[in-house]
Every structure is written in structure tokens, then in C-alpha cells.
Amino acid sequence: MTASNSQRPICIFCEIIAERLPASIAYRDQDWLVLMDIHPITEAHALIIPTRHCAHLSDIDAAGRQALFDLAAATMAAQESAGFSIGGANLLLNDGIAANQHIPHLHLHCIPRKNGDLLAFARRMVLRTVGIFGFRVSLGRLDRIAEKLAPLIKVRAI
Amino acid sequence: MTASNSQRPICIFCEIIAERLPASIAYRDQDWLVLMDIHPITEAHALIIPTRHCAHLSDIDAAGRQALFDLAAATMAAQESAGFSIGGANLLLNDGIAANQHIPHLHLHCIPRKNGDLLAFARRMVLRTVGIFGFRVSLGRLDRIAEKLAPLIKVRAI
């Protein structure tokens, strides 16, 4: 089905999954993708998305939730191993338009943190929350981060 | 062991679990508690905490993660059923001091949202992020919210 005869508007994440749009991918399996956020709140800010289009956490079942949060734990561990987080990380799910979900395809934010980054973090978080995303980071730079994370995302080992 | 001869400082959440401090509880089982945040970002803002003290998501195993996020899904559904969220909710885990975890006992925020609450949400979120918690909501008022949520939190049914 092409976009022109689909009832659903084009979904950026579905386009990335179908490799019709570029993205920096740190992990991929049949059901899930970890990609680098193109407007990162902090360096190595990652998004976990299902390969099957759905909008909300309530659209996936218990097995899906387990896979999602196992992958989140593995991604957080990888971010820490690679030195992108020191002393903390935020997991954030904006679920629904009222909750500032700007792309209607389920995505879980894994945001590495370092001591002393609070002001920059808060400023970028507020701007994103109100829909101001700022400058994109180049795909080349995000690719290098994804390449660092990829061998460290060990879902089975967690 | 009493607090005076424990090596660990008193943990507010452990005190609540041991019923030495009051809280408004919406759900309790052997391993988990859902309580109402005393400085809510929005009405019916809930926290999910393990009954066994640990600080980080990495301190619990895959079965623990599954129980935690199953309970999160059930809590979000209950908040929606009770009318506290309309059109969205945020799940937020501040994991580690660098990530603004103010109480070193793992807690997952379930924050109901409604269209139009963005400015109030953003203001309270920023104040909490920088450690300004503002006025507490009375336990009586939180108890009434917990009583509304309690019969609607159906972990098994999700």
C-alpha cells in the first residue's frame, strides 16, 4: 500500500523502519529498533520503537512490555558502559497527544545524564515539551554514537 | 535493626512501606506499592515503588521489570478510567542522582495528563526537577484519590 492510498498519514518512524528515511540505528530485531534521537536532549539520547506501528503503551501486550523494558534496561546499560551517562539516566514515555507525544508511534526515550547537566537538560526538555525541537544533530555524528552503542546493547545478558 | 544502628540513612519510602510514615496507597502487594505523590505534578500523580529497598532499575531483574511495568500499565489504565487522564499520560523514571532522583529508592512516576494542562505541567516539572517541590497536597485529599484508583488497578486483567 502506498502513502497515497493509505488512510493513515505517513509515519516518520514507519518510514525509518522501512528504510525509506535515514536514521542512526543502534539495535534492530524483528520487533524493536533503538535509534538515536535527531534532536537529542543529551548526547546519545536514544528512542526505542516497535517495528509494528502502534501509538500507545496500551496497544502492546505483557510480552511486548517485557521486551520493551528489557531493551530499555540494556540500552541504559550500554549508554553507561560507553560513558554517555555518569550517575544517572531518565526513561520517559510520552503516551498520547495530551502528554506531548509529537509522533503518534510508540517511542520510549532513554536519556543519559551526567552530573552538572541539569540546566542544559531542563532547557532542552522544556523546549521539546512545548514543541520547539531546535537544530538537528547530523546523521554522521549520530551514526558514530550508534556504532559505539551497538556492540554494548546486550538484551539477553540483562 | 533500628534506624540509629543502621548504616543506611532513613529512607522515606521504606518508612512508608513499614507503615511508620503515612501515605495514600492505591495498590499494595508483596513486592510493589502504588502511592500518591505528595507533591503531584498533576492530580492523581502516582509512584510505583518496590517494597524491597533498591535504588536503580538495574537493581531489579527481568521478572521485577515485568511486574513494575505491568503495574504501570494497570495504573495508567486506572487513572484513565477514573477520569484523571484524558488523552495521555507520562511515565518517568529518574534513575540516579544525576537524573534528578531525589529519593534513592526506585520509583516510577505515572503522571496523568489532560489537553490544555501543558503550562502547569511544564512549570511544576521544572520546579521539581531543580528540587523545588512546592506545597504538599493533604493526605486526606490524596486518600480520596487513592480510593478511587484502588478498585480500578487490575494488574491481572491487562
Side-chain angles (χ1 to χ4, degrees), chain A residues 62 65-66 69-70 73 86-100 113-115 118 121 126 129 158, chain B residues 62 65-66 69-70 73 86-100 113-115 118 121 126 129 158:
Chain A
R65 280 196 299 275
Q66 183 165 28
F69 291 103
D70 283 358
I86 302 174
N90 302 99
L91 270 189
L92 174 64
L93 180 70
N94 296 336
D95 196 88
I97 290 174
N100 320 111
R113 299 291 302 279
K114 293 177 179 172
N115 288 311
L118 177 58
F121 168 83
V126 168
T129 299
I158 296 289
Chain B
R65 280 196 299 276
Q66 183 165 29
F69 291 103
D70 283 357
I86 301 173
N90 302 101
L91 270 190
L92 174 65
L93 180 70
N94 296 336
D95 196 88
I97 290 174
N100 321 110
R113 299 291 302 278
K114 292 177 180 172
N115 287 312
L118 177 58
F121 169 83
V126 167
T129 299
I158 297 289

Side-chain angles (χ1 to χ4, degrees), chain B residues 95-111:
Chain B
D95 196 88
I97 290 174
N100 321 110
Q101 182 179 1
H102 297 287
I103 297 175
H105 184 127
L106 175 65
H107 53 289
L108 178 65
H109 297 263
C110 297
I111 308 170

Side-chain angles (χ1 to χ4, degrees), chain B residues 1-60:
Chain B
M1 189 184 287
T2 64
S4 58
N5 63 10
S6 166
Q7 291 187 313
R8 202 167 68 202
I10 287 177
C11 168
I12 290 173
F13 288 154
C14 286
E15 293 297 297
I16 287 172
I17 291 157
E19 300 184 351
R20 288 188 291 265
L21 279 179
S24 300
I25 310 292
Y27 176 88
R28 178 193 282 265
D29 66 24
Q30 191 178 332
D31 300 317
W32 300 95
L33 221 68
V34 179
L35 67 154
M36 310 317 300
D37 194 299
I38 204 160
H39 304 281
I41 290 177
T42 63
E43 190 178 26
H45 174 175
L47 303 174
I48 305 180
I49 65 175
T51 55
R52 182 181 65 81
H53 182 90
C54 66
H56 304 298
L57 191 63
S58 59
D59 294 330
I60 63 175

Side-chain angles (χ1 to χ4, degrees), chain A residues 62-138:
Chain A
R65 280 196 299 275
Q66 183 165 28
L68 171 60
F69 291 103
D70 283 358
L71 187 50
T75 300
M76 291 165 74
Q79 289 167 329
E80 188 173 11
S81 295
F84 292 116
S85 61
I86 302 174
N90 302 99
L91 270 189
L92 174 64
L93 180 70
N94 296 336
D95 196 88
I97 290 174
N100 320 111
Q101 182 179 1
H102 297 287
I103 297 175
H105 183 127
L106 176 66
H107 52 290
L108 178 65
H109 297 264
C110 297
I111 308 170
R113 299 291 302 279
K114 293 177 179 172
N115 288 311
D117 73 358
L118 177 58
L119 285 180
F121 168 83
R123 182 173 58 82
R124 288 183 200 164
M125 179 69 93
V126 168
L127 290 175
R128 283 194 48 142
T129 299
V130 298
I132 301 168
F133 285 77
F135 291 108
R136 292 183 174 196
V137 171
S138 75

Side-chain angles (χ1 to χ4, degrees), chain B residues 134-149:
Chain B
F135 291 107
R136 292 183 175 195
V137 171
S138 76
L139 275 177
R141 188 166 155 192
L142 294 180
D143 282 346
R144 288 193 290 279
I145 294 171
E147 282 163 18
K148 282 187 192 170
L149 289 179

